[in-house]
Amino acid sequence: MNNQQKLLSMAQTAASNAYCPYSHFAVGAAIESEDGKFYAGCNVENVSYPVGTCAETGAISAMIAGGSKRISAILIYADSKTLISPCGACRQRIAEFSNKNTPIYLADKNGIISETTAGELLPAGFKEF
Ligand code: THU
């Protein structure tokens, strides 16, 4: 299994554990960190809807808690027939730990269907100067 397949498998497993009783839209994210470790997260919703968190947020938290510092690649999987793409807030979170060329793989039921980069998804993100 190559690293991309491992990311897909981890994101699918995370999505299968998603807590999404309100949207019924399960998402999983998996990160390979620059130090060669792997982390996953899923969306965790809440009865107070805005309090829910995205899969990407969970995976980034797991990476930081696990002691890794930077994203080497991230894959986002949705248990759906349609393409998904990270929300604006998660684009900013991904950018915090990425380079502009860091690959972002987007996958659905058919497997990985699109590849983009952190720079493409957030071309004019907020940075401290
Ligand atoms: N969601 C994610 O976890 N990641 C995304 O990239 C897009 C949306 C979640 C948030 C919410 O729990 C559900 O998908 C429906 O919007």
Side-chain angles (χ1 to χ4, degrees), residues 19-20 23 25-28 42-45 52-56 76 84-87 90:
Y19 179 74
C20 51
S23 73
F25 192 79
V27 184
C42 62
N43 52 332
V44 182
E45 297 184 346
T53 50
C54 287
E56 297 89 327
I76 300 132
I84 67 141
S85 185
C87 75
C90 284

Side-chain angles (χ1 to χ4, degrees), residues 28-49:
I31 290 172
E32 181 184 2
S33 56
E34 280 187 1
D35 57 352
K37 295 182 181 171
F38 289 85
Y39 301 95
C42 62
N43 52 332
V44 182
E45 297 184 346
N46 193 277
V47 64
S48 177
Y49 296 170

